[in-house]
Amino acid sequence: MSEVIRLPDVGGDGEVIEIMVAVGDRVEAEQSILVLESDKASMEVPCPRAGTIKALKFKLGDRLKEGDELLELDVDAGEDSTAAAADSEPAPAAASEPAEKPASAPEPAPTQVQTEKPAPTALPTSAPAESARVHAGPAVRRLARELGVDLGRVEPSGPHQRILKEDVQGFVRSALQSPGAGGGAGIEPIPSIDFSRFGETEIREMTRLQQLGAANLHRSWLNVPHVTQFDQADITELEAFRLAEKTAADQAGVKLTLLPFLISACARLLEEMPEFNVSLLGDGKRLVQKKYVHIGFAVDTPDGLLVPVIRDAGHKGLLQLAAEAAELAEKARNKKLGSDAMQGACFTITSLGHIGGSGFTPIVNAPEVAILGVSRASHQPVWDGAAFQPRLMLPLSLSYDHRAINGAAAARFTRRLGELLGDVRRMLL
């Protein structure tokens, strides 16, 4: 007897990140057929009946919701007829707890250092061949690649020796906390303190985005020899031009801020100074020269920092850049930004001008080799040769990887950036 199996109530919709069966496979009742990833968790979805799969109704990357067709199943003749009614009932357990962590399974200890596989003194930059043979879904493998983790060294805690995202994150925490890794050069890690001895405390979990960001920033800080070049740009005329074009921008349905000018100027400079548009290969001896110019910009969201990317930024006008940046920032804040929209940047801009401050040291977003930090512009007296004139000055902080860029090049970059921002007509030359 042929039967269509549908997705039960799993507490919301989700994306198919792994398909665990194929047409023609025979499955047992409660055997997992796919892995669904929601905004909160990953879960395996079981088949409620035993039988042979005649057709799959979904593919990798599909977003499924309750009631969507999963597969057509040729049900075994001996199956209890009453099971069909049970199939239509919701599965409340799946909504409250991911299927990857059944109640009978012991809770993993993510911060415990593995005794069989000791934490390395540094996270490997590439995963060796054995990582391909471990049991992990595409999302977990992607996370491992982003963090430079060899999945072959990660202890699984999921069913059937499956590696979960929590296992990868726990491995990173263990590696960073081990002597010689977290502090670098054998420096002891920061000791644990019972802060409740001094007053009332509360333990709050970091969001997944904050955890990933912390690991990425720590890795970049330990691996990249940072230097920061500080400068100022006179944007008096640029600000006058921006305000004068407010009506045109409103008619185009966009808000013309300083960001599009910065993106356009930096894209121009990456073409003029290609040594800033490179990445170092893992051997530390070769550079990848990029022939494209994609600019990332940091967006502050309630869950943490995201960096969407504007592609081919040098080929777009100010109004187009303003519209695209606003759209990407809105998606980032509403958790609708896909992973592809945050990949491929050649250079990153991070701005604190809307908050305040006169300068800061941004951390290079490796594998990029430079990042521009922008603080709040302020009116300052500037000597013009005859008298002091009030000018609107914008603080610039350019952090760079000293392995790829020398100090003279960084100083030329900020000076040239000041020239472009000081006279917007230069961007047209």
Side-chain angles (χ1 to χ4, degrees), residues 406-424:
N406 60 44
R412 285 192 291 268
F413 187 98
T414 55
R415 184 192 65 189
R416 179 64 176 144
L417 180 58
E419 292 174 354
L420 292 174
L421 297 176
D423 188 348
V424 292

Side-chain angles (χ1 to χ4, degrees), residues 232-240 242-243 353 357-358 375-383 388-395:
Q232 292 190 95
D234 186 341
I235 61 168
T236 308
E237 273 72 33
L238 184 152
E239 180 65 9
R242 187 184 71 84
L243 294 176
S358 58
S375 299
R376 173 175 287 180
S378 62
H379 285 93
Q380 300 178 21
V382 177
W383 182 255
F388 284 101
Q389 301 293 338
R391 308 295 292 179
L392 185 60
M393 306 301 294
L394 179 70

Side-chain angles (χ1 to χ4, degrees), residues 65-372:
K65 62 182 183 299
E66 180 185 357
D68 284 350
E69 293 183 354
L70 297 181
L71 52 87
E72 185 178 348
L73 187 70
D74 192 0
V75 181
D76 286 356
E79 278 285 296
D80 184 1
S81 61
T82 59
D87 290 346
S88 62
E89 292 295 322
S96 60
E97 184 170 342
E100 289 186 345
K101 288 187 179 182
S104 59
E107 284 293 320
T111 57
Q112 180 180 353
V113 178
Q114 309 296 335
T115 55
E116 308 83 24
K117 300 176 182 177
T121 57
L123 296 179
T125 56
S126 61
E130 57 263 31
S131 290
R133 296 193 291 269
V134 301
H135 187 24
V140 174
R141 294 183 184 275
R142 182 171 63 247
L143 173 62
R145 288 195 301 270
E146 292 173 352
L147 298 179
V149 172
D150 171 14
L151 286 176
R153 301 179 67 102
V154 179
E155 190 73 16
S157 67
H160 311 297
Q161 295 298 296
R162 178 180 177 80
I163 296 177
L164 310 179
K165 287 185 177 181
E166 292 82 355
D167 300 329
V168 177
Q169 294 163 355
F171 177 84
V172 171
R173 283 194 294 269
S174 297
L176 294 178
Q177 291 171 3
S178 64
I187 300 175
E188 290 295 325
I190 298 173
S192 298
I193 298 176
D194 181 10
F195 296 100
S196 63
R197 295 187 295 118
F198 312 115
E200 183 179 355
T201 61
E202 176 187 359
I203 304 297
R204 292 188 292 108
E205 293 290 333
M206 294 175 67
T207 66
R208 174 177 172 273
L209 192 59
Q210 288 173 328
Q211 294 178 36
L212 293 177
N216 287 334
L217 290 172
H218 194 244
R219 181 183 60 186
S220 292
W221 184 253
L222 291 179
N223 285 284
V224 175
H226 281 70
V227 181
T228 303
Q229 172 72 20
F230 298 97
D231 210 332
Q232 292 190 95
D234 186 341
I235 61 168
T236 308
E237 273 72 33
L238 184 152
E239 180 65 9
F241 174 80
R242 187 184 71 84
L243 294 176
E245 296 302 316
K246 185 178 183 301
T247 300
D250 291 343
Q251 291 175 348
V254 298
K255 184 177 180 181
L256 190 59
T257 64
L258 179 61
L259 180 60
F261 294 92
L262 290 169
I263 294 174
S264 181
C266 289
R268 170 73 174 269
L269 279 180
L270 261 60
E271 294 176 350
E272 287 186 12
M273 306 177 69
E275 63 266 37
F276 282 83
N277 196 14
V278 300
S279 286
L280 277 80
L281 290 177
D283 57 15
K285 300 177 181 179
R286 294 174 294 165
L287 295 170
V288 176
Q289 183 67 62
K290 300 163 188 176
K291 305 296 185 179
Y292 53 88
V293 178
H294 304 335
I295 304 293
F297 63 100
V299 177
D300 186 22
T301 76
D303 293 325
L305 205 63
L306 292 176
V307 183
V309 179
I310 294 183
R311 304 187 182 280
D312 299 317
H315 299 158
K316 298 175 180 178
L318 292 173
L319 295 182
Q320 186 178 0
L321 290 173
E324 192 168 336
E327 180 182 2
L328 288 170
E330 185 68 18
K331 287 182 178 180
R333 297 187 184 100
N334 293 329
K335 300 182 180 180
K336 296 181 179 179
L337 195 65
S339 59
D340 289 345
M342 295 184 285
Q343 297 179 1
C346 307
F347 184 89
T348 296
I349 299 171
T350 177
S351 175
L352 297 177
H354 60 293
I355 300 175
S358 58
F360 63 103
T361 302
I363 297 177
V364 173
N365 189 20
E368 300 162 30
V369 295
I371 181 173
L372 177 68

Side-chain angles (χ1 to χ4, degrees), residues 22-90:
V23 174
D25 287 355
R26 188 187 182 285
V27 294
E28 299 294 338
E30 301 305 316
Q31 178 180 335
S32 297
I33 55 177
L34 64 96
V35 179
L36 202 66
E37 184 180 63
S38 69
D39 293 338
K40 298 180 180 179
S42 298
M43 62 199 78
E44 293 185 6
V45 177
C47 182
R49 310 289 297 279
T52 302
I53 297 176
K54 295 180 62 178
L56 292 177
K57 305 291 187 178
F58 62 92
K59 60 182 182 298
L60 200 66
D62 282 356
R63 196 155 192 92
L64 303 178
K65 62 182 183 299
E66 180 185 357
D68 284 350
E69 293 183 354
L70 297 181
L71 52 87
E72 185 178 348
L73 187 70
D74 192 0
V75 181
D76 286 356
E79 278 285 296
D80 184 1
S81 61
T82 59
D87 290 346
S88 62
E89 292 295 322

